[in-house]
Amino acid sequence: MERVFQALASTPRRKILAYLAHAELSAGDIAARFDMSKPAVSQHLSVLENAGLITSEKRGQFVFYRLLPDALANVLNGYVQEVCPVSRPLKAESRALADKREDQ
Amino acid sequence: MERVFQALASTPRRKILAYLAHAELSAGDIAARFDMSKPAVSQHLSVLENAGLITSEKRGQFVFYRLLPDALANVLNGYVQEVCPVSRPLKAESRALADKREDQ
DNA sequence: AAAGAATATAAGTAATTACTTAAATAAATT
DNA sequence: AATTTATTTAAGTAATTACTTATATTCTTT
């Protein structure tokens, strides 16, 4: 959890996650969307990967990154439910909804 | 949002939020639970307050802090729904649940 | 009014983080 | 086999963050 929150505490990294929400992208595709060097983006990617939020796969010359959406949802939902009393009663019900959806 | 995620990227600050989930506490009560100086805890408290996650009220000699649970829930839920495709279909329904609950 | 208690602010330092450019590695192309 | 392309690793630096102790402020008690 520590690593997830640390990973999320950066605007460029949250932006990377938003890009990956819609599509798998190569390291270069991602770097092209930022006004910073490729090594800097590469470091952000490894922070996100070490936090378990994304995963990478090398195909030929490219390294493709994609989101691991469950990791993000689990940590954030889990945390908000632990800390916000109001959200606790919703926990069981929202999990039921999610489980139902996964079956489909 | 920037400030919220930055505030959450610290174990002592997440611990403070957890303490405040159960009760309102004075700055001293909180500081007593940590192995660090009172000014250090005071700074963590102001980071949390600037992020809009907690609020403070001076009563006599003491300053009491309490959680603003909606701020946390809104930012984290909002973010997870934006980034995690799977969670999107749940958005409307979970909001409906939350609204219903607020009416009570 | 003086002393004590609770808290915050100020100032300084150590540790961490976010970049940079340069060099290394690995795959594709000529 | 040499060159180009995609990416990462390495090394260094600037900026930020997380503490510390000392001082200031505000309230309470004597």
Side-chain angles (χ1 to χ4, degrees), chain A residues 1-2 5 8-9 11 14 17 21-22 67 69 72-73 76-77 79-80 83-85 88-90 93 97-98 101, chain B residues 1-2 5-6 8-9 11 14 17 21-22 67 69 72-73 76-77 79-80 83-85 88-90 93 97 101:
Chain A
M1 192 174 71
E2 174 69 16
F5 279 112
L8 292 174
T11 303
R14 288 193 307 276
L17 293 179
H22 304 105
L67 195 67
L72 186 58
L76 295 189
N77 285 332
Y79 184 70
V80 84
V83 169
C84 299
R88 273 182 215 144
L90 270 59
E93 238 168 327
L97 277 170
R101 189 152 288 279
Chain B
M1 192 174 72
E2 174 69 16
F5 279 112
Q6 225 156 288
L8 292 174
T11 303
R14 289 194 307 276
L17 293 179
H22 304 105
L67 195 67
L72 186 59
L76 295 189
N77 285 332
Y79 184 70
V80 83
V83 169
C84 299
R88 273 183 214 144
L90 269 60
E93 239 168 323
L97 277 170
R101 189 152 289 279

Side-chain angles (χ1 to χ4, degrees), chain B residues 3-61:
Chain B
R3 284 183 184 187
V4 170
F5 279 112
Q6 225 156 288
L8 292 174
S10 147
T11 303
R13 286 196 292 265
R14 289 194 307 276
K15 212 167 150 187
I16 290 172
L17 293 179
Y19 284 133
L20 294 177
H22 304 105
E24 178 183 76
L25 292 171
S26 73
D29 291 337
I30 297 166
R33 288 166 164 83
F34 287 89
D35 188 22
M36 83 180 66
S37 71
K38 286 173 185 187
V41 173
S42 180
Q43 287 168 193
H44 284 307
L45 287 168
S46 65
V47 170
L48 290 168
E49 190 164 25
N50 288 330
L53 294 174
I54 64 176
T55 187
S56 63
E57 188 186 349
K58 182 158 191 172
R59 291 207 296 274
Q61 190 173 26

Side-chain angles (χ1 to χ4, degrees), chain A residues 21-97:
Chain A
H22 304 105
E24 178 182 75
L25 292 171
S26 73
D29 290 336
I30 297 166
R33 287 165 166 83
F34 287 89
D35 188 22
M36 85 180 66
S37 71
K38 285 174 186 188
V41 173
S42 181
Q43 285 168 196
H44 283 306
L45 288 168
S46 66
V47 170
L48 290 167
E49 190 164 26
N50 288 331
L53 294 175
I54 64 175
T55 188
S56 64
E57 188 187 348
K58 182 156 192 174
R59 291 207 296 273
Q61 189 173 24
F62 299 87
V63 178
F64 289 93
Y65 284 89
R66 65 173 191 277
L67 195 67
L68 293 173
D70 288 358
L72 186 58
N74 287 343
V75 171
L76 295 189
N77 285 332
Y79 184 70
V80 84
Q81 282 157 16
E82 176 194 323
V83 169
C84 299
V86 269
S87 86
R88 273 182 215 144
L90 270 59
K91 193 179 179 179
E93 238 168 327
S94 68
R95 185 164 48 204
L97 277 170

